[in-house]
């Protein structure tokens, strides 16, 4: 299951969906949770007419701070996911063509959560940096990740057993990816790989901020 959240994502959404669909099998799914888009996000999704794509509408709670909006939208998607393996996806990134294959190889080796590196690009796909890991000093370890989070959701994939231990999210967690990463550190085997399997797009409309993730 690919869990993708959307909100007014018409600028980059099609490029992201195209990069995901070509890596999925006929029995896989893209679970899309939309937070009330008022642009043509929904029409872009519906134009695919692909039974693997399933859209669910999420109603944000008034006065939520903006990171909790994203967290609850992802939680809504996760509750709908049926797959044995869960991949997070943001609406404005681009998956590299070997992302799914590389992650699945590691799942078959027995790991519970995979965190991979990514290129950082701008709105025109111009490269800003070659490695998020290098900039963020990403490493595994519970204490390390409490102090400085390495778990960037769009670069994460995990087993259903991790999902079942992570839901429902506590009422006051700051970031869903951080929470799931720490749960994985405590309950299973985590593998960080330094291959950049994603183009991580930074632009003026990103919801997340540098204070929570460099370039995020």
């Amino acid at each position: 299951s690919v869990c993708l959240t959307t909100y007014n994502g018409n600028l980059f959404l099609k490029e992201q969906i195209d990069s995901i669909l070509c890596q999925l099998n006929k029995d896989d799914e893209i679970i899309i949770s939309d937070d009330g888009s008022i642009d043509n996000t929904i029409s872009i999704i519906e134009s695919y007419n692909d039974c693997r794509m399933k859209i669910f509408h999420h109603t944000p709670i008034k006065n939520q701070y903006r990171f909790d909006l994203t967290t609850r939208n992802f939680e809504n998607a996760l509750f709908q996911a049926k797959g044995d393996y869960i991949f997070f996806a943001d609406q404005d990134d681009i998956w590299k063509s070997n992302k799914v294959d590389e992650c699945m190889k590691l799942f078959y080796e027995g790991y519970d959560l995979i965190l991979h590196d990514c290129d950082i690009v701008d709105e025109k796909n111009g490269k800003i940096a070659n490695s998020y890991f290098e900039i963020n000093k990403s490493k595994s370890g519970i204490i390390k990740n409490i102090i400085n989070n390495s778990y960037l959701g769009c670069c994460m994939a995990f087993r259903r057993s991790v999902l079942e231990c992570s839901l429902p999210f506590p009422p006051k967690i700051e970031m869903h990816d951080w929470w799931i990463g720490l749960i994985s550190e405590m309950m299973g085997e985590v593998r960080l790989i330094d291959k950049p399997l994603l183009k991580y797009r930074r632009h003026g409309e990103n919801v997340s901020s540098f204070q929570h993730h460099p370039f995020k």
Side-chain angles (χ1 to χ4, degrees):
S1 298
V2 178
C3 288
L4 168 65
T5 59
T6 57
Y7 178 69
N8 291 347
N10 65 300
L11 287 178
F12 307 111
L13 181 59
K14 188 178 187 306
E15 192 171 14
Q16 169 68 311
I17 291 175
D18 289 346
S19 74
I20 295 171
L21 278 176
C22 64
Q23 300 186 54
L24 302 187
N25 295 321
K26 62 181 180 62
D27 295 325
D28 297 332
E29 63 181 7
I30 302 181
I31 301 296
I32 301 170
S33 181
D34 184 75
D35 233 351
S37 294
I38 56 175
D39 62 359
N40 64 337
T41 291
I42 301 301
S43 62
I44 290 172
I45 296 166
E46 291 175 342
S47 71
Y48 282 87
N49 193 28
D50 191 316
C51 63
R52 294 173 295 178
M53 297 173 62
K54 304 166 187 177
I55 187 163
F56 298 87
H57 297 279
H58 176 249
T59 302
I61 299 171
K62 289 183 179 180
N63 301 320
Q64 281 180 301
Y65 69 101
R66 65 180 189 155
F67 300 108
D68 199 37
L69 288 173
T70 304
T71 292
R72 298 306 158 186
N73 202 12
F74 268 112
E75 184 179 42
N76 186 53
L78 288 169
F79 272 123
Q80 309 300 331
K82 306 299 183 187
D84 293 326
Y85 305 97
I86 315 297
F87 288 71
F88 278 140
D90 292 340
Q91 66 184 6
D92 42 13
D93 298 328
I94 305 170
W95 286 19
K96 294 193 177 184
S97 60
N98 58 338
K99 175 179 164 81
V100 172
D101 285 346
E102 292 289 341
C103 290
M104 293 308 300
K105 287 177 187 176
L106 294 171
F107 283 132
Y108 296 149
E109 292 178 15
Y111 294 101
D112 298 292
L113 182 144
I114 315 302
L115 178 70
H116 63 75
D117 204 353
C118 60
D119 298 331
I120 303 168
V121 301
D122 61 22
E123 65 273 11
K124 296 181 180 179
N125 291 342
K127 188 174 287 189
I128 297 172
N130 290 320
S131 172
Y132 176 86
F133 278 9
E134 182 178 340
I135 293 169
N136 190 52
K137 297 179 173 59
S138 298
K139 295 180 180 178
S140 59
I142 294 174
I143 301 301
K144 188 272 175 194
N145 280 286
I146 289 174
I147 297 170
N148 178 43
N149 178 38
S150 299
Y151 289 100
L152 181 61
C154 60
C155 295
M156 290 168 57
F158 46 92
R159 293 182 184 271
R160 185 161 200 87
S161 55
V162 172
L163 176 64
E164 291 170 349
C165 290
S166 303
L167 291 178
F169 292 157
K172 293 186 178 181
I173 63 166
E174 188 164 292
M175 293 179 288
H176 60 283
D177 42 10
W178 196 1
W179 170 254
I180 291 173
L182 291 174
I183 291 290
S184 300
E185 294 264 13
M186 291 186 287
M187 63 151 286
E189 293 292 327
V190 172
R191 175 70 184 271
L192 274 65
I193 56 173
D194 58 10
K195 294 180 181 179
L197 303 180
L198 176 88
K199 292 182 180 181
Y200 179 43
R201 197 192 308 261
R202 309 313 301 148
H203 56 87
E205 300 302 318
N206 291 109
V207 171
S208 45
S209 75
F210 181 83
Q211 286 75 17
H212 290 75
H213 282 299
F215 292 105
K216 185 176 181 188

